Amino acid sequence: ETGVTQTPRHLVMGMTNKKSLKCEQHLGHNAMYWYKQSAKKPLELMFVYNFKEQTENNSVPSRFSPECPNSSHLFLHLHTLQPEDSALYLCASSQGAGGNSPLHFGNGTRLTVT
Amino acid sequence: EDQVTQSPEALRLQEGESSSLNCSYTVSGLRGLFWYRQDPGKGPEFLFTLYSAGEEKEKERLKATLTKKESFLHITAPKPEDSATYLCAVQGSTGNQFYFGTGTSLTVIP
């Protein structure tokens, strides 16, 4: 596996379900990110981890809970979501947060909340 | 406030018809301007980083340029496989934020 891998690719969940999104990067990067992409809107930063430490929480509702056990893995735990949370969730990595190296993205998880 | 505006929102070109996409930005202390390509159902794919005004980068039919207020992505003699959404992002001197535009959806017709 190379690059940034996200699973699952598609997820349909009810408002009372609990699910998790997984991201793994094989680039040797130290920073990992969660972004939300909705139609006609700019990518919206959710969380940033640098060397496993959370450095940004962009006022994200508590129904989204990130976890970063090491620099290669990132999870987004979901519970009691709302229909407006339906979107493409993208994981990205970079050499280090705070530098000027580009983000490298996975192919995302398409989430539908029913 | 840091922000990015991309234009046009959508662009249809005939195969071989060259054109340019625009990315206007305001940022306090530009650390980098980034261009990405996104195909339907996939994540953004990194294309270029530009760091200072006057800088240019090229890759196949794409050429990115940067001024103090905007960046252009020039597409020369495009092919249908160049059809995608092109995203621009900037990173300022404070924080870890990348500010993205809403993208230009490019369609190249054979």
Side-chain angles (χ1 to χ4, degrees):
Chain A
E1 292 271 17
T2 59
V4 180
T5 304
Q6 289 187 245
T7 55
R9 289 299 313 278
H10 302 273
L11 179 63
V12 179
M13 58 187 289
M15 292 169 62
T16 58
N17 290 159
K18 288 185 180 180
K19 295 286 185 183
S20 296
L21 311 185
K22 179 183 175 182
C23 175
E24 184 175 0
Q25 60 96 0
H26 306 268
L27 299 169
H29 290 164
N30 297 309
M32 298 189 77
Y33 308 73
W34 281 115
Y35 277 87
K36 176 182 179 181
Q37 187 173 36
S38 304
K40 304 292 185 183
K41 291 185 177 181
L43 267 69
E44 180 183 342
L45 177 67
M46 300 176 73
F47 302 104
V48 180
Y49 279 83
N50 199 29
F51 293 94
K52 303 189 301 178
E53 299 298 319
Q54 188 178 123
T55 57
E56 294 272 350
N57 177 337
N58 209 21
S59 302
V60 180
S62 60
R63 57 186 184 270
F64 295 91
S65 175
E67 179 189 358
C68 187
N70 55 59
S71 293
S72 298
H73 294 85
L74 186 65
F75 297 88
L76 188 62
H77 305 298
L78 315 172
H79 65 96
T80 59
L81 294 190
Q82 305 298 311
E84 59 264 29
D85 296 323
S86 298
L88 181 67
Y89 287 84
L90 291 164
C91 174
S93 68
S94 69
Q95 286 188 331
N100 56 5
S101 57
L103 299 171
H104 293 265
F105 288 89
N107 282 327
T109 295
R110 173 65 64 185
L111 174 66
T112 303
V113 181
T114 60
Chain B
E1 181 180 308
D2 298 349
Q3 65 177 23
V4 175
T5 303
Q6 291 189 247
S7 61
E9 186 176 320
L11 182 63
R12 290 173 63 91
L13 299 173
Q14 290 290 137
E15 184 172 1
E17 179 187 2
S18 301
S19 188
S20 297
L21 313 182
N22 178 263
C23 171
S24 297
Y25 65 91
T26 55
V27 66
S28 48
L30 179 71
R31 267 195 281 173
L33 184 141
F34 307 87
W35 282 100
Y36 290 85
R37 168 193 171 126
Q38 187 172 22
D39 292 297
K42 293 195 171 183
E45 175 190 349
F46 170 67
L47 293 174
F48 303 111
T49 307
L50 300 167
Y51 294 107
S52 58
E55 190 175 0
E56 300 182 351
K57 294 271 180 77
E58 282 190 72
K59 180 180 179 181
E60 296 180 356
R61 295 176 292 282
L62 300 177
K63 179 181 178 180
T65 61
L66 180 64
T67 73
K68 289 186 177 180
K69 293 184 179 181
E70 57 191 351
S71 177
F72 291 94
L73 186 64
H74 307 278
I75 303 177
T76 302
K79 298 182 177 182
E81 53 262 42
D82 295 322
S83 298
T85 295
Y86 290 85
L87 299 173
C88 172
V90 297
Q91 188 180 34
S93 59
T94 57
N96 300 323
Q97 281 268 23
F98 288 76
Y99 294 92
F100 282 83
T102 52
T104 293
S105 176
L106 174 66
T107 303
V108 182
I109 305 160

